[in-house]
Amino acid sequence: MRGHDWVERAGELFEAAMFGGDASALDQSDAVLDAVEAPLSMSRGKVLHVRFLNDREENRQELVLFERAAELYKRLGDTSGEADALFWIGCWHQVVKGDGVTGEPYFERSYALAKSVDDRMTMSYAIRHLGFADKDAGHFDRARERLTESVTLRREIGFRPGEAAGLVALAYLAAETGDPPAAFRHLDQAQSVAESCGAKAVSGWIEQARTLIQP
């Protein structure tokens, strides 16, 4: 059901409750409106996150929106939606606040929920950021395993821009652990993938990585 259809349905239920005396319509309205609000909260939160990445100005409303979405998706029994929202809560803590320790449990819960419904897209995001947490903690082998799993998941579902981004992350990890040749192999592969899908932003990340990673 499209967003407009959900709103129209809510209006019909209001009429049934207000004028038709159907008390059950009120509970149905709650579910319908939750189904409208949850994805809207997610979308608004993601827009705020991209704005943060562009200007580095924190807006706490981002966290509020993701927490609201998680609450609504859980109420609706939408496991995939809840997993996605939990990932973004973790991302707010890790990326916006620089607090990976607080973010990690959200990524773990997100990954577990997403795996239970075979939502490999959300799995790829959650495991990627768990990999970043491992890298920050100096657990490089586990970080490599998790970042590699993220790339594999994205390759399986055809998420080419995400695959390229994942290869860039592996390149930085290889450089940090003293293996520049592996880093440049990852960047070459990332460039090929990015060019094949028109991921211009990722191509920029690749060029930046080439300047920062010493042969």
Side-chain angles (χ1 to χ4, degrees):
M1 189 179 290
R2 296 171 299 179
H4 175 75
D5 296 330
W6 283 116
V7 174
E8 186 175 290
R9 177 59 178 154
E12 293 171 352
L13 289 167
F14 161 76
E15 295 282 342
M18 183 72 179
F19 303 111
D22 183 359
S24 68
L26 294 175
D27 291 336
Q28 294 178 60
S29 294
D30 287 338
V32 168
L33 292 171
D34 286 350
V36 174
E37 186 182 351
L40 180 61
S41 295
M42 284 294 296
S43 295
R44 288 191 183 280
K46 289 178 181 179
V47 167
L48 289 179
H49 189 76
V50 175
R51 284 182 175 152
F52 167 79
L53 295 177
N54 289 338
D55 59 29
R56 294 293 161 173
E57 293 185 9
E58 177 187 327
N59 186 336
R60 190 173 178 81
Q61 187 63 22
E62 177 186 333
L63 176 62
V64 172
L65 287 163
F66 290 140
E67 288 179 335
R68 178 61 174 163
E71 175 190 348
L72 292 168
Y73 279 127
K74 185 173 184 178
R75 186 187 303 168
L76 289 164
D78 185 336
T79 302
S80 183
E82 184 184 358
D84 190 25
L86 289 171
F87 163 75
W88 285 102
I89 293 171
C91 198
W92 189 86
H93 287 290
Q94 185 187 60
V95 177
V96 177
K97 301 299 290 183
D99 184 359
V101 173
T102 298
E104 194 167 353
Y106 291 101
F107 297 139
E108 290 172 346
R109 180 60 177 160
S110 171
Y111 181 84
L113 286 175
K115 188 173 183 179
S116 74
V117 292
D118 195 31
D119 178 355
R120 287 178 285 174
M121 177 68 84
T122 299
M123 288 170 63
S124 79
Y125 274 101
I127 201 70
R128 169 182 169 85
H129 282 257
L130 282 169
F132 291 153
D134 285 332
K135 182 173 76 71
D136 291 343
H139 303 145
F140 298 121
D141 288 342
R142 189 163 62 181
R144 187 177 299 105
E145 290 175 4
R146 285 174 157 173
L147 292 175
T148 299
E149 180 180 346
S150 178
V151 170
T152 300
L153 287 165
R154 292 174 171 190
R155 186 176 294 135
E156 288 173 353
I157 61 177
F159 181 27
R160 302 286 279 168
E163 179 186 345
L167 289 164
V168 175
L170 281 170
Y172 277 116
L173 179 61
E176 188 171 341
T177 53
D179 192 354
F184 284 104
R185 285 196 299 273
H186 287 310
L187 291 177
D188 288 343
Q189 189 177 3
Q191 185 169 350
S192 176
V193 175
E195 289 176 353
S196 74
C197 62
K200 294 181 180 180
V202 181
S203 293
W205 303 344
I206 295 165
E207 291 308 309
Q208 181 181 38
R210 291 189 189 280
T211 65
L212 295 174
I213 296 174
Q214 299 298 316

